[in-house]
Each structure stands twice: as structure tokens, then as C-alpha cells.
Amino acid sequence: MSATPEKPKPADSGSAARLKPYARPLLRRYGNVQHLTRGAGATENGDGGQMMMVTSDRAIKQGLARIGEHPLGVGLYLFDYKPGFRDLCGHGRQFGVMADEVETVLPEAVSVHPNGYKMVDYAMLGISRPAR
């Protein structure tokens, strides 16, 4: 006795009616980090473009929380400036990078402020920050 394979059953025509038509995915915005970026503001460079120099030295930050990664491989952080730097750099939770990490992959984006702390040109990283 040989077994004959069963013929496949036709798809239930009712199941196709229950499928939703394709809908293009929507980008949802879950908030704005602008209030997190109240650090030192932008200055104009010589060619009219924006230089977004922000004090990004790890030594003046506390409460670091890595929340992501920049395409260059450096961390993106939330942090607070230490009390002695808040009036100059910003009060409250901030968003940014660490100068020492940026310096390893894009040294031209890092400079040293006259006070001795490192600063990052956020525009070179493709990150825009509103002026204070």
C-alpha cells in the first residue's frame, strides 16, 4: 500500500480579508531634548558657519549616564555639570559627549579652553545645540 501525498488545501479566502493593507511606517517623536542641551552656546567662526564649542571635559561632569552611541563610536550621555561649573556651562540635566572619547576618533573637533578644560565642536559631529 503506497501513501499518496495529500493535495494542499486552498487558503481560506476569509483570512486574506482579515490582513491589514500595508501602511508606511511613521516616525514618532517622543519628546525634545532641547531642554537637555542648555550648555555653553555657539560662536561664529571666520567663514560664517556655526562652531558649536561646548565644554565637554569629563572632569567637570557628574552623574554620567550613557544613553546611546554616535556613528563615530563615541558615547552619547546625559549628565550634570559639577556645582562649580553650572553657572558657566548650564544647570540641570545635559546631553552631550565626552571630549576624551571624541579626541580618539576626531581630534580636530577637540580644543582646550583657556581654563584648561577640553571643548568639543558639536557641529563637526553633526550635533546641533541651541544657544543659551
Side-chain angles (χ1 to χ4, degrees):
M1 217 159 86
S2 68
T4 58
E6 290 186 25
K7 290 183 179 177
K9 296 179 182 175
D12 178 15
S13 62
S15 66
R18 288 186 293 243
L19 294 176
K20 293 182 180 179
Y22 175 77
R24 189 176 199 175
L26 298 174
L27 176 63
R28 293 185 187 191
R29 186 173 175 177
Y30 289 103
N32 189 339
V33 296
Q34 180 174 357
H35 68 281
L36 298 173
T37 59
R38 294 182 297 244
T43 60
E44 289 288 325
N45 66 16
D47 65 3
Q50 284 283 59
M51 286 180 52
M52 305 296 288
M53 299 301 296
V54 179
T55 305
S56 296
D57 201 304
R58 188 181 300 269
I60 66 171
K61 298 176 179 182
Q62 65 184 20
L64 300 171
R66 187 177 175 132
I67 60 168
E69 187 171 284
H70 187 275
L72 291 174
V74 299
L76 299 173
Y77 296 88
L78 291 178
F79 59 90
D80 295 294
Y81 285 106
K82 290 181 178 177
F85 297 92
R86 290 180 183 157
D87 287 340
L88 173 66
C89 301
H91 290 267
R93 207 69 171 145
Q94 305 288 319
F95 168 81
V97 297
M98 299 299 131
D100 60 307
E101 292 180 18
V102 173
E103 198 167 33
T104 64
V105 295
L106 191 65
E108 59 271 23
V110 179
S111 61
V112 179
H113 189 274
N115 65 13
Y117 293 105
K118 292 180 180 180
M119 299 178 70
V120 171
D121 182 349
Y122 276 71
M124 291 182 78
L125 300 177
I127 300 173
S128 63
R129 295 173 54 107
R132 276 180 11 150

